[in-house]
């Protein structure tokens, strides 16, 4: 495209210097046009899930080390996880790679001091909720004051997605607009100055809230909270407490959280 933009623009009937050209170049540079398997952020999210699920399997195999078959499993899962990590880096997705490096220390702390964290889970959950609420409030205040989020053009259009989605969620609070209907409803709430139309708000909370309402969001939260549910089992008369298949679940949960942040 950079060598001969006119030739490609003619194929799509786009006039040079028009808004359509700007939109096309924006999508081209963000790998959001036909010809790519998926966007870099989406591909990065898929690799994140694979990496952290592999981490969970590696940790489970390491915990059961000592048998030959366990060593084979550890080597195989380690190689697959390494390949997935290489794929993550190849996507060059800033969000996905940043989420990976952010979640790794959190995963390490959860595994290393999981018992202590579980002991103080209520206090830590409240603290995390307060911090999240403060961050959201600061972001909304900045957006309302400046009409955008801090950062490049991607942050400008995200603020436009989110404000329109928030209006949509307010008008359809309980059950939302239904799955697969976001793109058509978005046009009713889109800022006329916004250059793009989208089929997803690029925010998982708003996405669920718009499509399935408050009930859907609560169901999603309950499904994620299930991972943290304490499992009590009887083992030869002794009571033990822990996470069901804890290392695998911790690895998968870390991948899910990292994907949502990406």
């Amino acid at each position: 495209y950079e060598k001969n933009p006119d030739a490609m623009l003619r194929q799509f009937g786009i006039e040079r210097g028009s808004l359509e050209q700007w939109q096309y170049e924006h999508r081209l540079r963000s790998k959001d046009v036909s010809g790519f398997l998926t966007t870099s952020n989406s591909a990065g999210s898929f690799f994140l899930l694979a990496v952290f699920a592999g981490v969970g399997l590696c940790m489970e195999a390491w915990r059961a080390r000592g048998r030959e078959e366990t060593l084979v499993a550890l080597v195989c899962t380690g190689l697959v996880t390494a390949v997935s990590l290489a794929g993550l880096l190849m996507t060059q997705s800033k969000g996905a790679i940043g989420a990976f490096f952010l979640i790794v220390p959190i995963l390490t702390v959860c595994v290393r001091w999981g018992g202590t964290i579980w002991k103080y889970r209520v206090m830590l959950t409240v603290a995390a909720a307060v911090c999240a609420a403060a961050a959201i409030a600061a972001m909304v205040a900045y957006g309302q004051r400046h009409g955008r989020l801090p950062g490049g053009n991607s942050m400008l259009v995200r603020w436009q997605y989110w404000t329109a989605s928030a209006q949509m969620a307010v008008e359809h609070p309980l059950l939302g607009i239904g799955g697969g209907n976001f793109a058509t409803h978005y046009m009713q709430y889109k800022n006329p100055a916004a250059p793009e139309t989208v089929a997803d708000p690029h925010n998982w909370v708003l996405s669920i809230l718009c499509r399935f309402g408050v009930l859907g969001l609560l169901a999603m939260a309950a499904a994620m909270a299930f991972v943290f549910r304490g499992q009590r089992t009887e083992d030869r008369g002794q009571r033990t407490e822990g996470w069901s298949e804890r290392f695998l679940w911790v690895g998968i949960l870390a991948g899910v959280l990292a994907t949502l942040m990406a």
Side-chain angles (χ1 to χ4, degrees), residues 1-261:
Y1 176 77
E2 290 178 347
K3 291 180 180 179
N4 192 356
D6 291 328
M8 187 166 289
L9 292 174
R10 281 197 300 268
Q11 296 180 20
F12 298 98
I14 299 175
E15 182 180 351
R16 192 176 180 90
S18 64
L19 174 63
E20 288 76 10
Q21 181 187 5
W22 180 89
Q23 292 176 325
Y24 179 78
E25 290 183 355
H26 174 74
R27 294 191 175 96
L28 181 66
R29 292 191 170 89
S30 63
K31 303 180 178 66
D32 194 20
V33 296
S34 299
F36 291 95
L37 176 63
T38 184
T39 64
S40 59
N41 285 340
S42 298
S45 297
F46 298 146
F47 277 115
L48 273 174
L49 290 173
V51 167
F52 283 106
V55 168
L57 290 170
C58 288
M59 289 161 51
E60 185 70 19
W62 176 259
R63 180 170 173 262
R65 65 188 182 278
R67 302 191 303 272
E68 182 179 351
E69 59 271 21
T70 305
L71 178 60
V72 173
L74 178 60
V75 172
C76 292
T77 53
L79 288 174
V80 172
T81 303
V83 171
S84 299
L85 179 58
L88 171 63
L89 298 177
M90 288 175 61
T91 66
Q92 300 182 16
S93 168
K94 296 178 181 178
I97 296 174
F100 171 80
F101 285 107
L102 178 63
I103 206 71
V104 162
I106 298 176
L107 174 62
T108 303
V109 170
C110 288
V111 173
R112 178 63 180 83
W113 293 284
T116 303
I117 292 173
W118 185 254
K119 183 178 179 181
Y120 298 100
R121 61 189 180 277
V122 175
M123 182 178 64
L124 292 174
T125 300
V126 172
V130 170
C131 291
I136 293 172
M139 179 185 68
V140 171
Y142 183 95
Q144 290 180 336
R145 181 176 180 180
H146 300 279
R148 58 173 299 146
L149 296 176
N153 184 68
S154 61
M155 292 293 100
L156 167 63
V157 295
R158 272 175 169 74
W159 177 252
Q160 294 170 343
Y161 304 159
W162 296 349
T163 51
S165 300
Q167 296 176 21
M168 188 188 306
V170 167
E171 293 191 10
H172 303 83
L174 191 61
L175 298 175
I177 59 174
N181 296 326
F182 184 89
T184 53
H185 281 73
Y186 179 75
M187 296 301 297
Q188 303 176 29
Y189 303 93
K190 173 181 172 293
N191 185 337
E196 295 184 338
T197 58
V198 292
D200 186 89
H202 295 266
N203 180 293
W204 73 278
V205 174
L206 285 174
S207 179
I208 296 173
L209 195 58
C210 289
R211 289 180 169 90
F212 308 110
V214 174
L215 293 180
L217 186 62
L218 291 175
M220 179 66 176
M224 294 184 64
F226 178 81
V227 178
F228 292 104
R229 184 173 64 92
Q231 298 284 336
R232 291 189 177 272
T233 59
E234 298 291 338
D235 184 13
R236 297 181 183 178
Q238 295 181 350
R239 303 192 64 161
T240 60
E241 183 177 355
W243 291 337
S244 177
E245 300 178 357
R246 56 178 180 172
F247 290 128
L248 176 58
W249 281 111
V250 169
I252 294 176
L253 176 64
V256 171
L257 294 177
T259 301
L260 296 178
M261 287 190 292

